[in-house]
Amino acid sequence: MQPYLRFKIPELRLHLAEPHRNADTLIDALSKSELSLQLFPPLALSGVSCGQYALQAAFLDACLAAFDRVLEASRGSKQIFNCGLPYASPYGLLALECLIQSGRILLASCHPLAAPFVSVSRYELSAAGLELSGQKLCFETGLRSQDGFLLCLDLADEVERHWEACPKLICRPVAIEAHRELRNHELARAEQLCYRSASLCLLTSPGSYESSGDFHYRQFRAIVAESAILRESLERLGTPSSELRYDCFDFQLRNRARVLAGQQRPSLETVDFSSQDPELSLAHFAVGQTDNSPLPFVSADGSDLEEVVEAQISGLSRRLDCFSSPELVLGLSGGLDSCISLLAAALCLKRRAQSSKRIHCLRMPGLGSSPSSRSNGEKLAELLDVTNIEISIVDSVRLHLEDLHHPEDLHDLTFENAQARERTQLLMDYSNQVGGLVLGTGDLSEIALGWSTYNGDHMSMFAVNGSIPKTLMPRLARCYAAMLDVEGLSEVVEAILHQAISPELLPLGENQELLQSSEDQLGPYLLHDFFLYHRLREEPAPAELLLLAIDAFSAENRERYAAYGDSPTTQLRPFDEAALRHCLQTFLRRFQTQQFKRACMPEGVVALPLAFSPRRDLIRPGDLGLSSWSQLDA
């Protein structure tokens, strides 16, 4: 028999923490096809983000009962498929994935679920004699089929040991989020292994039904053969579900062509990375040796913008699915942050085919609101046809300050924060009035620096911009304007992009000009985003971070990346070492001392891999002062 395979990776609509409903979905998918193999998402019965539900005995029993139903329904069918569930074992709670055919468990693969840092080898698991549904689980690397290929349930390096034996089919349900970096990493691993071992790899990840709180999923599916990606697909909001299918893949033919072409396993050369110069530190090596962009969050071609948009709107859509008929409420100041929150909400409801009138924009002018911001906010609301409401906070703030015996001409922290908290109170109470969800507007850069009022604009019911840095926002706003395609919207967006960045909490000047600028008080966001990117990704020492900045903002580098600076926020300009040092000291001080705000920030969309969620990303104590090791002069 020639080993021709017909397989597909379906896009299923599963339900988080509902094993019996998911079992029905799997059984239905199996009954509708007669293919060789189907690959389902990981932990298809329970979902990968069910959290501590997986520790409850009743939930585990429901998963086992659902697994038994799927196993029984597969009897009599030659179709191979995977089914995953949480599994209580002597090694703790495991995320167990099984390959099944005709009621028989062919292979099993697992990793610790409740204790991700605990490692359990295949040999330990095989020796333990674990059972599921009365069948002993096999944790071997692969299973040879009668058609002459090796069937594997993992992307393990042990597959290489069978390189000379036969071609492989690797089924890889992987619990990764929708970020491009994570997808590319998985694809690179698959391509490398497929090339080395003449394999075919099927990849799939959880779908949007898994998105919960700070976790953002969109089903990613790919078929990789040797060093080529044959098929690739990413779930999109508002797009009908589809199946990734490939028919008649001839393993023997491909393997024979590979042998005839004389392809062998590449030999690896040993390279000595040691340095004879004791003065050559990591920072010296990095500077001038890598692509050191002064705008690390901004890509050259903007190819990542659409993915960020999809992440924001699909994450918001998933949160809306949790409510029966939600309204969206946000404070519209006319600044860039609230502009992007509104654009994301508008595009989300457009994709969901719902009226934009369900977006309630509260414009709340205060003691420092500028005419240009008010005008731009009003134009934006009119163009997008949202419910537009203006409530002045001037009188209520004055009354509040009077109750506190606080002079109105004393423009201190109390004066500023009283306005921010008054706006948040209005938003929360109005959302209760209309049955709505308050969208946050704060961005990644502000969260990093703690540039928000605690329990004021720091708080919302769902943060849309929490993983978006300030330097990416201009391009993102333009991308939203193009996708919404509303006449006149791009012009208003450009006007907003050319406004000074300000919280507008201090009174205006004699000619109604702004006297308060965020960048005058903090330093340029251009620098803060550079420090933030490297701080989160590489954790360099402060002195190394300064060296990176000196190189990134050199005249040669500024000329090289000049095209990236297409807005006032991102426009590249020269900084001497003293300016870089001063801004870095501000960043380090505020980044460390403002953790108490990040520790209780609301849930939100994680559109980029770098974020500050205290539930998954940045877990640090909030009561530390300035430490010598974290300062520049240490």
Side-chain angles (χ1 to χ4, degrees):
M1 177 186 296
Q2 292 294 324
Y4 289 104
L5 293 178
R6 298 173 62 236
F7 48 80
K8 71 175 181 180
I9 310 174
E11 186 176 302
L12 299 180
R13 182 64 184 176
L14 300 175
H15 304 273
L16 185 60
E18 295 192 35
H20 284 290
R21 289 183 68 182
N22 293 335
D24 292 337
T25 303
L26 298 188
I27 292 170
D28 182 63
L30 292 170
S31 66
K32 291 179 178 178
S33 75
E34 288 296 331
L35 302 175
S36 308
L37 183 144
Q38 285 198 71
L39 186 66
F40 297 134
L43 293 184
L45 292 180
S46 61
V48 300
S49 52
C50 56
Q52 293 193 350
Y53 282 117
L55 301 177
Q56 298 184 18
F59 181 71
L60 292 174
D61 289 343
C63 289
L64 290 173
F67 183 84
D68 288 340
R69 289 179 52 211
V70 174
L71 201 66
E72 185 62 31
S74 71
R75 295 191 184 280
S77 171
K78 291 185 177 181
Q79 188 173 190
I80 297 174
F81 66 95
N82 65 300
C83 184
L85 72 163
Y87 176 79
S89 77
Y91 300 97
L93 193 63
L94 302 176
L96 181 67
E97 206 71 39
C98 298
L99 269 188
I100 299 170
Q101 183 186 46
S102 189
R104 189 165 67 95
I105 302 175
L106 304 177
L107 281 175
S109 178
C110 69
H111 64 267
L113 190 61
F117 300 109
V118 176
S119 178
V120 185
S121 72
R122 293 176 182 269
Y123 309 106
E124 289 180 283
L125 293 168
S126 297
L130 302 181
E131 292 189 356
L132 178 61
S133 298
Q135 300 185 40
K136 186 176 179 180
L137 296 177
C138 172
F139 291 94
E140 295 298 327
T141 301
L143 182 70
R144 189 182 299 277
S145 86
Q146 63 179 0
D147 295 330
F149 62 89
L150 193 70
L151 183 64
C152 307
L153 181 60
D154 208 345
L155 196 57
D157 290 335
E158 296 99 297
V159 175
E160 251 196 300
R161 294 184 303 174
H162 301 274
W163 178 86
E164 71 287 346
C166 60
K168 289 85 183 165
L169 174 61
I170 303 171
C171 299
R172 175 69 170 162
V174 55
I176 59 170
E177 293 182 73
H179 307 305
R180 174 183 290 189
E181 288 186 16
L182 301 178
R183 300 199 313 268
N184 288 346
H185 175 70
E186 284 296 330
L187 283 174
R189 288 186 64 204
E191 287 182 277
Q192 185 181 35
L193 186 59
C194 288
Y195 177 80
R196 290 196 305 242
S197 57
S199 299
L200 175 74
C201 183
L202 312 183
L203 287 168
T204 187
S205 71
S208 58
Y209 60 88
E210 285 274 15
S211 295
S212 177
D214 303 304
F215 294 88
H216 167 62
Y217 294 97
R218 282 186 292 150
Q219 189 175 6
F220 170 65
R221 298 168 294 162
I223 301 172
V224 181
E226 299 193 19
S227 58
I229 301 173
L230 302 181
R231 299 281 192 278
E232 187 179 1
S233 174
L234 181 64
E235 180 185 355
R236 289 170 57 92
L237 178 65
T239 303
S241 61
S242 61
E243 60 183 37
L244 205 66
R245 181 167 176 153
Y246 202 81
D247 292 343
C248 301
F249 189 95
D250 185 348
F251 270 113
Q252 287 186 354
L253 185 61
R254 282 183 174 262
N255 202 36
R256 190 181 307 118
R258 179 190 179 98
V259 173
L260 290 175
Q263 296 181 11
Q264 302 294 330
R265 295 176 64 181
S267 61
L268 300 179
E269 181 182 355
T270 303
V271 180
D272 184 8
F273 284 93
S274 62
S275 171
Q276 301 301 317
D277 184 359
E279 298 298 323
L280 189 63
S281 68
L282 176 63
H284 288 87
F285 178 77
V287 171
Q289 300 296 319
T290 59
D291 185 20
N292 190 17
S293 170
L295 288 164
F297 286 109
V298 180
S299 63
D301 57 359
S303 58
D304 56 336
L305 292 175
E306 190 172 338
E307 290 208 14
V308 174
V309 168
E310 289 294 331
Q312 283 190 294
I313 64 175
S314 62
L316 177 57
S317 179
R318 170 60 180 154
R319 179 52 59 104
L320 294 179
D321 288 339
C322 300
F323 298 87
S324 54
S325 56
E327 306 289 300
L328 294 176
V329 179
L330 62 91
L332 184 61
S333 66
L336 182 55
D337 290 356
S338 62
C339 167
I340 287 187
S341 291
L342 175 55
L343 294 173
L347 186 57
C348 177
L349 293 192
K350 182 179 179 180
R351 292 276 188 90
R352 291 169 63 93
Q354 294 177 339
S355 171
S356 59
K357 289 293 185 183
R358 302 184 75 166
I359 303 173
H360 300 252
C361 291
L362 269 63
R363 294 182 293 107
M364 298 169 283
L367 299 169
S369 298
S370 68
S372 61
S373 294
R374 294 180 65 174
S375 174
N376 288 331
E378 189 171 356
K379 290 177 184 176
L380 200 60
E382 289 176 357
L383 286 172
L384 295 174
D385 193 27
V386 300
T387 302
N388 185 15
I389 299 170
E390 180 171 309
I391 304 174
S392 173
I393 65 168
V394 173
D395 292 338
S396 57
V397 169
R398 282 177 171 158
L399 179 61
H400 181 58
L401 293 175
E402 185 180 332
D403 290 340
L404 292 174
H405 304 291
H406 188 283
E408 188 177 328
D409 59 354
L410 178 58
H411 302 150
D412 60 359
L413 194 62
T414 302
F415 179 86
E416 295 186 41
N417 286 349
Q419 298 173 72
R421 292 193 179 105
E422 179 63 26
R423 289 186 172 110
T424 300
Q425 176 180 252
L426 282 171
L427 289 169
M428 293 291 181
D429 292 345
Y430 181 85
S431 72
N432 292 154
Q433 198 174 44
V434 300
L437 182 77
V438 177
L439 297 184
T441 59
D443 59 65
L444 183 74
S445 308
E446 293 179 344
I447 296 170
L449 299 169
W451 192 243
S452 61
T453 298
Y454 190 82
N455 208 31
D457 54 323
H458 151 266
M459 190 51 60
S460 66
M461 296 179 183
F462 195 69
V464 183
N465 298 335
S467 66
I468 311 298
K470 192 75 80 176
T471 50
L472 185 62
M473 285 188 146
R475 288 192 174 191
L476 187 61
R478 293 181 180 122
C479 182
Y480 269 115
M483 295 176 76
L484 284 165
D485 193 24
V486 175
E487 185 178 355
L489 182 58
S490 294
E491 288 76 8
V492 177
V493 166
E494 288 299 324
I496 291 173
L497 292 181
H498 285 79
Q499 290 179 168
I501 301 174
S502 171
E504 299 192 356
L505 297 173
L506 296 180
L508 302 175
E510 293 181 0
N511 299 317
Q512 296 296 294
E513 75 276 12
L514 278 172
L515 299 180
Q516 184 181 27
S517 166
S518 298
E519 292 189 300
D520 286 347
Q521 293 178 260
L522 296 172
Y525 279 113
L526 180 67
L527 296 181
H528 285 302
D529 278 5
F530 178 85
F531 299 141
L532 175 61
Y533 178 87
H534 291 284
R535 188 70 168 175
L536 291 183
R537 290 185 68 96
E538 301 150 12
E539 290 281 356
E544 295 171 353
L545 193 50
L546 179 61
L547 285 174
L548 285 170
I550 291 172
D551 176 73
F553 290 93
S554 64
E556 181 183 351
N557 238 25
R558 292 200 313 274
E559 183 178 353
R560 179 182 177 188
Y561 293 99
Y564 288 38
D566 52 4
S567 72
T569 307
T570 59
Q571 187 174 2
L572 299 179
R573 49 198 184 275
F575 297 100
D576 58 27
E577 183 176 342
L580 293 172
R581 177 180 290 271
H582 176 74
C583 190
L584 178 55
Q585 287 173 328
T586 301
F587 172 81
L588 294 172
R589 173 175 54 82
R590 295 193 67 97
F591 185 74
Q592 182 156 336
T593 60
Q594 300 298 302
Q595 174 63 16
F596 73 98
K597 293 181 182 177
R598 297 188 289 264
C600 58
M601 62 184 287
E603 293 182 333
V605 180
V606 181
L608 292 173
L610 303 179
F612 287 124
S613 168
R615 294 161 290 275
R616 49 161 286 171
D617 295 303
L618 194 70
I619 303 174
R620 298 185 179 188
D623 50 3
L624 289 181
L626 293 174
S627 304
S628 60
W629 54 266
S630 66
Q631 298 306 296
L632 184 58
D633 296 324

